[in-house]
Amino acid sequence: KQWYQRRVAITAGVRKKLLLDTSAKSLFGSAKDKCRLTKDRYWLILQRTQRHDLFTPPVPGAITQSNKFDLQTVEQVLGQQGEHKHTIVLAMLVQIEEGKYFLEDASAHMLVDLSSAKFH
């Protein structure tokens, strides 16, 4: 194996595994490469987060002592009514329009109101 070979996340369907990337390499990537890098990184983080104990569904009959959370996409949150107390969205905070911030993931984007947010 060469030092410049890397593994990429393949997330289509059930095949959530790492495969060898055999495409031509360049020291300076194109815009398409940067987009793919961000997308691959998002999918890897999402898969790892989904396997965390806080997001796995409880086993029937088991005694759970911690709270469980629902890890949902932006599209799922937009399709639901009411308050989301135990819902967490893994998304990027982006500024699509000047002065307006959105949560964006692979499924959709939604406007967020940060006027009452506390920044630390």
Side-chain angles (χ1 to χ4, degrees), residues 9-17 43 47:
I10 303 298
T11 57
V14 182
R15 297 177 4 195
K16 295 181 181 177
K17 61 181 181 178
W43 286 113
Q47 289 172 17

Side-chain angles (χ1 to χ4, degrees), residues 5-66:
Q5 290 179 333
R6 69 182 184 103
R7 299 189 179 273
V8 296
I10 303 298
T11 57
V14 182
R15 297 177 4 195
K16 295 181 181 177
K17 61 181 181 178
L18 297 176
L19 299 175
L20 189 61
D21 182 9
T22 58
S23 62
K25 307 296 185 272
S26 172
L27 183 58
F28 304 105
S30 65
K32 184 179 178 182
D33 294 332
K34 293 175 186 177
C35 180
R36 189 173 121 204
L37 174 70
T38 305
K39 191 175 182 180
D40 288 347
R41 190 176 291 166
Y42 169 78
W43 286 113
L44 282 172
I45 293 169
L46 178 64
Q47 289 172 17
R48 191 158 189 186
T49 305
Q50 287 172 335
R51 291 191 300 263
H52 192 275
D53 291 338
L54 289 175
F55 303 108
T56 55
V59 178
I63 300 171
T64 57
Q65 296 178 353
S66 63

Side-chain angles (χ1 to χ4, degrees), residues 33-102:
D33 294 332
K34 293 175 186 177
C35 180
R36 189 173 121 204
L37 174 70
T38 305
K39 191 175 182 180
D40 288 347
R41 190 176 291 166
Y42 169 78
W43 286 113
L44 282 172
I45 293 169
L46 178 64
Q47 289 172 17
R48 191 158 189 186
T49 305
Q50 287 172 335
R51 291 191 300 263
H52 192 275
D53 291 338
L54 289 175
F55 303 108
T56 55
V59 178
I63 300 171
T64 57
Q65 296 178 353
S66 63
N67 291 335
K68 296 288 185 175
F69 295 95
D70 293 327
L71 186 63
Q72 297 185 351
T73 63
V74 172
E75 188 176 47
Q76 289 172 324
V77 172
L78 288 173
Q80 295 175 351
Q81 297 289 330
E83 196 170 313
H84 308 282
K85 290 188 178 186
H86 295 286
T87 299
I88 294 183
V89 177
L90 182 64
M92 292 190 309
L93 186 63
V94 295
Q95 189 175 8
I96 297 175
E97 300 173 21
E98 190 169 335
K100 295 183 179 180
Y101 290 93
F102 295 82

